[in-house]
Amino acid sequence: MSGALNQANVGPYLVKLAFSDDGSPAGHYPADVAAPQLSVLDLGATRGDGIFETISLGNGHLQALEPHLARFAHSAAMLDLPTPDAAQWRAAIVEVASHLVSASGDPVDEGFVKIVMTRGVEGGSGSLLPGAAPPTGWALAAVAPDHTPARRDGIRIVLLDRGYRHDIAQTAPWLLAGAKTLSYAVNRGVFREAARRGADDALFVSSDGYLLEGAVSNLVLKRGQTLLTPRTDLGILAGTTQADLFTWATGRGLATEYALLTVDELRTADAAWLVSSGRHAAPIRAVDGVERPIDAALTAELNAYLHARTE
Ligand code: PLP
C-alpha cells in the first residue's frame, strides 16, 4: 500500500500479559521483542497448546477487535483454557497498537496485532487440567506485509482434501475443528503443497465434497446478487472479515447466505475470494490450474471498505 516504504522501520512492539499464580489477570508490561521471552517448557512451544488471533490495523484503527476477542474466548473455551479477561487483553492490544506510528507520528497504513495465549509452563503450575495454570500471553504489533499483488492480480488456489467429513465439529468435537489453536503446522504445510502444485494458496474440501476454508482465510462466493460462504458449523473458523463483508453487502443491497457449497458451485460462481484479516479480499483467479474470472471492480470496493474500517 502507499505507506509501505516509510513504514519499514516501525515496530514490532511487544507486551507480555501478567497473571498471578491462580491465573487471574494482572495487567501487562512492555517486553523486548529481540530478547528471549518464552520458557522452553512452555506448552505453546512444545505442544502447540494454545490459541491466537490476528487483528488488522487500518490507519491506526483496530478492526473487528470485539469479534476477535469473542473468538479468542470461544477458542479458549474449546481448549479448556482459562477464560481470557477481555479488559486485560483489550488494554494490551490497544497499547501495542498505539506504538505503531511513523517518525512523524502518523499511524501506519496497514499493521496487525497478534495475540497469543498458551497453557503456560509444563511442570510448573502448568498442567493438562483446565484452569490449573497461569497461562502465558503476549500481544505483538507489527507492520503488515504488502498484499497489493494478491488483492489486485488475484491468487491461484488448489483444492486440498482435509480428510474430515463436513460434520466433524459435531461428530468429533475433541479434534477442536473451528478453534484457532497454535497447532498450525498443517495450515503452514498446505502453502508448501500449494506451491508444489504451482499455486499461491489452498482451499480445504471436506472428505464428502463440501467447500470449507483456506489455510488462514474464509471463502466467499458471488452468485448473481448474493454473497455465499460455507456454514460456520462445518468445523471451520467463523471469519471476522467474512462477517464484516456480509454486513457491508447487506447495506449495499446484496443478499448473503451461509450454505453447504460444492466444488461445482465454486467453479461456476461469478466471483470468488479468500478473505482474511491480513490480506483482506484476494480474488481467486484459478482453481486447480483452471482459470476463472475475477471481478476487479467489486474486489477493489471490498478492499476499500475493509481498509477503511474504524472498528
Ligand atoms: N480460517 C482460518 C483457519 C484462519 O486461520 C483464519 C485467519 O487467520 C480465517 C479463517 C479468517 O479469519 P479472519 O477473517 O477473522 O481473519
Side-chain angles (χ1 to χ4, degrees):
M1 298 295 287
S2 56
L5 285 179
N6 60 26
Q7 294 177 8
N9 295 323
V10 178
Y13 295 94
L14 174 68
V15 299
K16 298 278 300 282
L17 282 279
F19 302 97
S20 35
D21 281 348
D22 66 358
S24 54
H28 62 265
Y29 56 94
D32 181 356
V33 76
Q37 296 290 347
L38 204 60
S39 163
V40 294
L41 298 177
D42 193 283
L43 287 158
T46 58
R47 306 282 190 188
D49 194 358
I51 57 173
F52 75 105
E53 285 291 327
T54 305
I55 303 137
S56 59
L57 261 170
N59 282 322
H61 298 284
L62 287 157
Q63 299 173 321
L65 173 58
E66 296 308 318
H68 279 291
L69 285 172
R71 194 170 66 188
F72 199 51
H74 177 70
S75 297
M78 284 182 77
L79 270 70
D80 304 306
L81 283 164
T83 306
D85 182 81
Q88 182 193 23
W89 283 91
R90 195 182 293 112
I93 293 164
V94 168
E95 163 84 23
V96 280
S98 72
H99 290 289
L100 221 53
V101 290
S102 68
S104 56
D106 296 325
V108 299
D109 185 45
E110 285 192 46
F112 65 88
V113 177
K114 181 172 183 177
I115 57 172
V116 178
M117 183 169 79
T118 84
R119 200 174 302 277
V121 175
E122 187 162 23
S125 41
S127 162
L128 293 176
L129 297 174
T136 303
W138 67 90
L140 176 97
V143 172
D146 183 6
H147 292 294
T148 309
R151 293 173 188 161
R152 183 193 55 214
D153 307 331
I155 52 173
R156 309 171 67 85
I157 69 162
V158 288
L159 302 177
L160 297 182
D161 182 358
R162 195 169 224 174
Y164 300 152
R165 283 195 319 268
H166 74 282
D167 55 357
I168 187 76
Q170 293 75 45
T171 57
W174 48 88
L175 292 179
L176 304 178
K180 197 164 169 70
T181 79
L182 291 174
S183 307
Y184 257 42
V186 168
N187 304 54
R188 306 287 287 188
V190 299
F191 281 102
R192 297 192 297 276
E193 181 60 24
R196 278 191 284 273
R197 299 182 188 200
D200 309 301
D201 209 327
L203 176 66
F204 285 125
V205 180
S206 69
S207 58
D208 49 352
Y210 295 104
L211 305 175
L212 297 174
E213 64 184 341
V216 291
S217 57
N218 289 103
L219 175 71
V220 174
L221 303 183
K222 179 166 181 280
R223 189 167 63 204
Q225 293 306 300
T226 304
L227 294 189
L228 302 107
T229 198
R231 278 179 3 209
T232 54
D233 64 347
L234 306 181
I236 66 174
L237 216 60
T240 64
T241 314
Q242 168 273 314
D244 274 352
L245 281 181
F246 271 27
T247 303
W248 171 86
T250 305
R252 196 180 172 279
L254 293 168
T256 58
E257 198 178 317
Y258 291 86
L260 259 186
L261 296 166
T262 63
V263 171
D264 271 353
E265 288 174 283
L266 168 61
R267 296 198 205 285
T268 58
D270 298 324
W273 301 266
L274 288 183
V275 307
S276 57
S277 297
R279 197 172 56 186
H280 294 169
I284 298 172
R285 53 172 290 207
V287 178
D288 286 341
V290 179
E291 300 284 332
R292 49 151 302 116
I294 67 174
D295 185 332
L298 185 56
T299 301
E301 234 186 295
L302 299 182
N303 281 324
Y305 157 73
L306 290 171
H307 180 59
R309 285 172 298 164
T310 56
E311 59 180 29

